[in-house]
Amino acid sequence: MSFLKPAPHIERLNADKIDPTYRRLRWQVFMGIFFGYAAYYFVRKNFALAMPGMIESGMYTKADLGYALAFVSIAYGVSKFIMGSVSDRSNARAFLSLGLFLSGATMVAMGLFPWATSSIYVIAFLLFLNGWFQGMGWPPCGRTMVHWWSKKERGTIVSIWNTAHNLGGAVPALLLMLATSIYAYNHNIPSINDVSQKYIWQEALWYPGVAAMIAAVLVFVVMRDTPQSCGLPSIEEYKNDYPDDYDAEKSEKELPVKEIFVEYVFKNKLLWYIAIANVFVYLIRYGVLDWAPTYLKEVRHFNIDKSSTAYALYEIAAIPGTLFCGWVSDYVFKSKRGLTGFVFMAATTVALYIYWITPSQDVAMAMMVVVGFLIYGPVMLIGLHALELAPKKAAGTAAGFTGLFGYLGGSVAASAIIGWSVTKYGWDSGFHIMIAGSVIACLLLLLTMVQENKHHQEVMNSK
């Protein structure tokens, strides 16, 4: 499709127009990727909010829905890797908007049409389709950031942008509370806590889907592709911030697929280390998030209002947590991503353990919020590290590679393995899996720190 091809370079603007145009468009582009990626999370994991109602109505078991939910992660992991390569050679503006629109349309279909949830196989197929479209979100955002922000400012911009998925991830729970309020009003029910979830699970699907489709149109309006497509110089020239190995001709040249995969991904040892660590980081991230509505209802006896609040706060808490992690990484640990990730994952392990064993509802909610505050820091650091380990024309593929491991390994385990384990052995077994995974993540991030130091020393010695 021609509209997905990279926007062509146009004649450079007059010198007096470059700075004001760059400043204006960078804000505009950032709004596009920030709110665009947030909208992807309207329809990323909103199916988890529909699950308690589907279980309560007797439609499916936790194991059934856990297996189906895993298809989102399988598709997303593969798609993020493959679509990362495609996005490196595509127009970020069109690519980001198209994936968002299609993902939203899939959720609308699941919420409004009975055939779309008529069997677990149809559900799994549509969730797979949604996951594939979701893979079109991160790569064009990564491509955009390495084209519009230079290396010395990229850490800050990535940490700010990375909070978009937490903002977006909180929206489905808020929309479900809105839908529940409307249902209570229409049926003369005095409190939303008296509304059975089996009556409003469809709204947990199509409300966020409609919001995502609207957002896709707005993103297309404000986004732009590369600076050169707007008559501007490269970001390196504009900021006079050139990487050590920067070559103007090579850095601005679209790379062939084989070179991206072989030279900058498969032969990149450090990229492999952070990709494997990502498996266990994602196991915790989604192990807590995906099963929170069901766990809090069945074990903690939360009503729909309180469980939706906890779900939303988990995502909201990640916003200051991610920013704090970025600050710690840059100013306390001097850009040592592995060390920072280890500290945050160790604290996550402690919070997760307390979340499991405490008898108090209030402490359980507080610990869920603490886990949300902590876990997204390592998620952000691994994505940032991947962008820094490859040329900017291969950034989407490098980020997609770590995402492939995170979703195909960690998120699938969070959905399918925990769902099976909880159904067969009870909720304690699910926490055994998550806590063991968190400990392994700590060990892998320690290994990443060691390899990171060796890599830095090799670069210094080669100069």
Side-chain angles (χ1 to χ4, degrees), residues 30-360:
F30 183 77
M31 291 298 102
I33 61 173
F34 184 89
F35 290 106
Y37 198 60
Y40 266 85
Y41 273 78
F42 295 176
V43 285
R44 172 70 61 81
K45 289 291 186 176
N46 61 311
F47 186 76
L49 290 169
M51 285 165 50
M54 299 174 82
I55 294 169
E56 183 179 339
S57 65
M59 294 175 64
Y60 302 105
T61 67
K62 290 189 288 293
D64 289 335
L65 296 177
Y67 289 136
L69 190 63
F71 277 85
V72 177
S73 302
I74 293 170
Y76 181 75
V78 176
S79 176
K80 188 175 179 182
F81 186 38
I82 295 175
M83 289 300 185
S85 176
V86 176
S87 77
D88 281 330
R89 295 170 288 112
S90 300
N91 185 320
R93 175 191 190 189
F95 203 83
L96 183 69
S97 304
L98 178 63
L100 178 57
F101 187 88
L102 293 175
S103 186
T106 303
M107 281 294 123
V108 169
M110 292 188 72
L112 293 182
F113 302 113
W115 62 264
T117 52
S118 60
S119 80
I120 201 66
Y121 302 106
V122 175
I123 291 174
F125 172 75
L126 291 175
L127 289 178
F128 182 91
L129 200 62
N130 182 54
W132 192 269
F133 296 141
Q134 285 285 315
M136 298 173 68
W138 210 110
C141 291
R143 171 185 166 89
T144 298
M145 285 185 283
V146 297
H147 278 84
W148 285 90
W149 286 271
S150 67
K151 185 175 181 178
K152 67 183 179 183
E153 58 187 352
R154 202 173 291 151
T156 300
I157 209 70
V158 169
S159 65
I160 296 172
W161 169 81
N162 202 67
T163 63
H165 60 64
N166 307 116
L167 178 66
V171 168
L174 300 177
L175 290 176
L176 179 59
M177 292 173 68
L178 172 63
T180 307
S181 298
I182 293 173
Y183 184 91
Y185 176 79
N186 290 336
H187 292 80
N188 296 317
I189 299 175
S191 170
I192 64 172
N193 294 324
D194 297 324
V195 177
S196 173
Q197 295 186 49
K198 66 182 180 182
Y199 298 122
I200 44 83
W201 63 265
Q202 293 97 332
E203 284 79 356
L205 301 174
W206 72 265
Y207 269 46
V210 170
M213 293 173 72
I214 294 171
V217 176
L218 299 176
V219 168
F220 185 80
V221 171
V222 303
M223 273 285 289
R224 296 294 181 269
D225 193 19
T226 64
Q228 292 91 328
S229 70
C230 301
L232 299 168
S234 70
I235 187 61
E236 290 81 8
E237 179 182 345
Y238 174 64
K239 285 290 184 178
N240 192 30
D241 182 18
Y242 297 93
D244 294 335
D245 57 351
Y246 183 78
D247 181 296
E249 183 177 350
K250 291 182 179 179
S251 295
E252 301 304 327
K253 178 184 177 182
E254 301 296 335
L255 298 171
V257 175
K258 182 179 179 180
E259 185 176 351
I260 290 175
F261 279 98
V262 175
E263 296 298 326
Y264 301 115
V265 176
F266 295 139
K267 290 185 178 181
N268 193 330
K269 184 169 65 174
L270 194 54
L271 191 63
W272 278 93
Y273 285 123
I274 64 173
I276 296 171
N278 211 27
V279 172
F280 298 96
V281 171
Y282 270 65
L283 171 65
I284 309 309
R285 173 187 178 185
Y286 284 122
V288 174
L289 182 65
D290 285 353
W291 292 104
T294 306
Y295 171 73
L296 293 175
K297 177 179 181 293
E298 293 187 354
V299 178
R300 299 296 182 174
H301 308 297
F302 279 25
N303 57 40
I304 188 172
D305 183 25
K306 196 167 185 179
S307 64
S308 295
T309 300
Y311 186 96
L313 288 176
Y314 178 88
E315 295 283 5
I316 293 171
I319 296 175
T322 301
L323 296 175
F324 178 64
C325 182
W327 179 84
V328 169
S329 176
D330 284 344
Y331 296 103
V332 177
F333 295 127
K334 309 301 180 184
S335 299
K336 294 178 180 178
R337 316 300 187 194
L339 175 59
T340 310
F342 167 76
V343 170
F344 272 69
M345 281 307 302
T348 298
T349 306
V350 174
L352 182 61
Y353 179 75
I354 298 173
Y355 175 58
W356 170 37
I357 66 167
T358 181
S360 167

Side-chain angles (χ1 to χ4, degrees), residues 18-26 148 227 232-235 238:
I18 287 177
D19 186 61
T21 303
Y22 231 123
R23 290 175 180 270
R24 174 176 58 83
L25 287 182
R26 291 217 302 177
W148 285 90
L232 299 168
S234 70
I235 187 61
Y238 174 64

